[in-house]
Amino acid sequence: MFGIPGKQAVSITPAAAKQIAKLMEKDGSMGLRIGVKKGGCAGMEYTMEYVSEINPMDEMVEQDGARVMIAPMAQMFLFGTEIDYQVSLLESGFKFNNPNVVEACGCGESIKFDENLTAK
């Protein structure tokens, strides 16, 4: 992992932990795996999927009954990210407050990372 010893790769707000734990219980999954893939108007998009088996190469973060796994190829892009869950009048969903993002599209689902980070 591209981390700092003793520091979690990502942080999870209490609202996000509650929602992830609820989804895990409903689906009977081991947790949620987050990653990034090429796509969207800014170049990259976040991915989330239910996990039925834990990949030993994933970085795992557990908090308040929630378990998040970070896919190996996404670890350097997601280090330091805060995962939140927000509910508003028009929408609800997970929000990624990622210090590695240099640009995002208007909807916030498509992101761009520093060229030095993506060249690795």
Side-chain angles (χ1 to χ4, degrees), residues 2 10 53 64 97:
F2 298 88
V10 298
E53 248 180 61
D64 300 328
N97 300 313

Side-chain angles (χ1 to χ4, degrees), residues 2 21-22 37-38 60 66 79 112 114:
F2 298 88
K22 183 176 165 183
K37 68 177 184 174
K38 290 187 179 188
M60 188 167 23
F79 184 75
K112 182 178 179 182
D114 185 300

Side-chain angles (χ1 to χ4, degrees), residues 2-102:
F2 298 88
I4 298 170
K7 182 172 170 43
Q8 288 190 332
V10 298
S11 61
I12 306 169
T13 66
K18 181 178 178 182
Q19 184 65 19
I20 292 167
K22 183 176 165 183
L23 290 171
M24 287 171 57
E25 184 177 310
K26 179 180 177 184
D27 187 63
S29 68
M30 300 288 293
L32 292 177
R33 178 177 293 119
I34 60 173
V36 293
K37 68 177 184 174
K38 290 187 179 188
C41 52
M44 302 281 278
E45 297 176 314
Y46 293 111
T47 62
M48 292 185 88
E49 63 183 347
Y50 292 110
V51 174
S52 59
E53 248 180 61
I54 296 174
N55 178 343
M57 298 302 290
D58 286 348
E59 179 72 18
M60 188 167 23
V61 176
E62 294 182 271
Q63 178 181 316
D64 300 328
R67 185 178 299 123
V68 171
M69 281 71 91
I70 305 169
M73 295 302 290
Q75 292 174 6
M76 69 178 161
F77 297 107
L78 297 174
F79 184 75
T81 298
E82 176 192 65
I83 302 170
D84 192 15
Y85 187 78
Q86 298 177 352
V87 178
S88 72
L89 199 54
L90 297 175
E91 65 181 357
S92 63
F94 290 99
K95 303 292 181 191
F96 294 82
N97 300 313
N98 187 335
N100 305 305
V101 169
V102 294

